[in-house]
Amino acid sequence: MDYFEKRVDGEVKYKGVIVTVRLDRAELHTGRIVRREVVEHPGGVTILPIDGDGNCYLVRQFRYPFGKMLLEAPAGKLEPGEEPRASAVRELSEETGFTADELVYMGPNYTSPGFSTEVLHIYLALGLHAGESHPDENEFLNVEKYSLKELSAMVMRGEIEDGKTIIAVLKAEKYLREHGNQEKNK
């Protein structure tokens, strides 16, 4: 059965720097009208860079909403009109200094489909070349190196709490196992 909900109308309640919040009225398949809160987000990318020795490079940064440092795959939001692949190249360079010979698209991630339009596009970066990182002006982070096997174990122990990173690590591990891991999966 199709439980499609049709938007009847809505009102912008807040317009911020990154997100816009709407309160909509939607019609259910039953004809009933309900309210839906929607956070509009431009979307973004997540990149898991893995070098020829099987090392992954993540960033540790303070996340204000949670009041603590989190270990995450490099990531960032899409700029207006920017394609996800171009954003992945830009964010990888900004946060880690790396460029990659190959970016493997591992699919979209709807981060919170119950209320948000945010879609993160997940990439695996292979064939890395080191360079200088150049984070945004108010972005402070440390780059840390782990083997993919170690990261996978950290995910399963609950030591990595960031959803996009968990997805990127597990998808990368499976992808490399199934596609003749040319990078060492230590």
Side-chain angles (χ1 to χ4, degrees):
M1 178 164 212
D2 185 4
Y3 298 114
F4 183 79
E5 298 180 12
K6 178 182 167 191
R7 183 174 186 262
V8 175
D9 60 27
E11 178 183 355
V12 171
K13 294 293 187 176
Y14 172 78
K15 187 161 183 66
V17 175
I18 297 174
V19 300
T20 297
V21 180
R22 292 190 337 249
L23 180 58
D24 288 354
R25 289 186 327 125
E27 181 179 354
L28 301 178
H29 71 284
T30 62
R32 183 172 176 209
I33 303 295
V34 295
R35 292 171 17 151
R36 295 288 185 243
E37 296 172 341
V38 179
V39 176
E40 296 175 357
H41 187 283
V45 296
T46 301
I47 313 100
L48 186 64
I50 303 180
D51 69 17
D53 293 325
N55 295 308
C56 302
Y57 296 84
L58 279 72
V59 296
R60 190 174 299 274
Q61 59 187 327
F62 185 81
R63 289 304 194 180
Y64 181 81
F66 296 99
K68 65 181 182 178
M69 300 287 283
L70 291 179
L71 184 62
E72 305 175 38
K77 71 176 183 64
L78 293 170
E79 296 300 331
E82 185 178 37
E83 291 297 319
R85 181 171 290 279
S87 180
V89 169
R90 177 179 50 77
E91 288 292 341
L92 179 63
S93 175
E94 284 179 8
E95 294 192 4
T96 67
F98 286 118
T99 56
D101 289 336
E102 182 180 9
L103 280 177
V104 178
Y105 185 64
M106 294 195 295
N109 170 31
Y110 293 2
T111 62
S112 296
F115 68 88
S116 175
T117 65
E118 181 180 29
V119 177
L120 291 179
H121 299 275
I122 302 170
Y123 289 90
L124 174 61
L126 302 172
L128 301 181
H129 303 279
E132 289 294 318
S133 65
H134 45 98
D136 292 334
E137 182 181 357
N138 293 317
E139 187 174 41
F140 305 98
L141 45 84
N142 296 317
V143 177
E144 299 181 13
K145 179 172 69 170
Y146 298 88
S147 72
L148 184 56
K149 183 177 180 182
E150 185 178 11
L151 283 178
S152 184
M154 291 168 71
V155 163
M156 297 311 293
R157 290 192 304 262
E159 295 171 16
I160 295 179
E161 302 163 296
D162 175 60
K164 68 184 177 299
T165 302
I166 292 168
I167 293 167
V169 167
L170 297 180
K171 280 191 162 198
E173 186 176 51
K174 184 167 178 59
Y175 176 87
L176 292 172
R177 188 172 47 249
E178 291 179 357
H179 290 86
N181 186 359
Q182 296 171 338
E183 308 289 321
K184 293 178 186 172
N185 188 3
K186 291 185 175 181

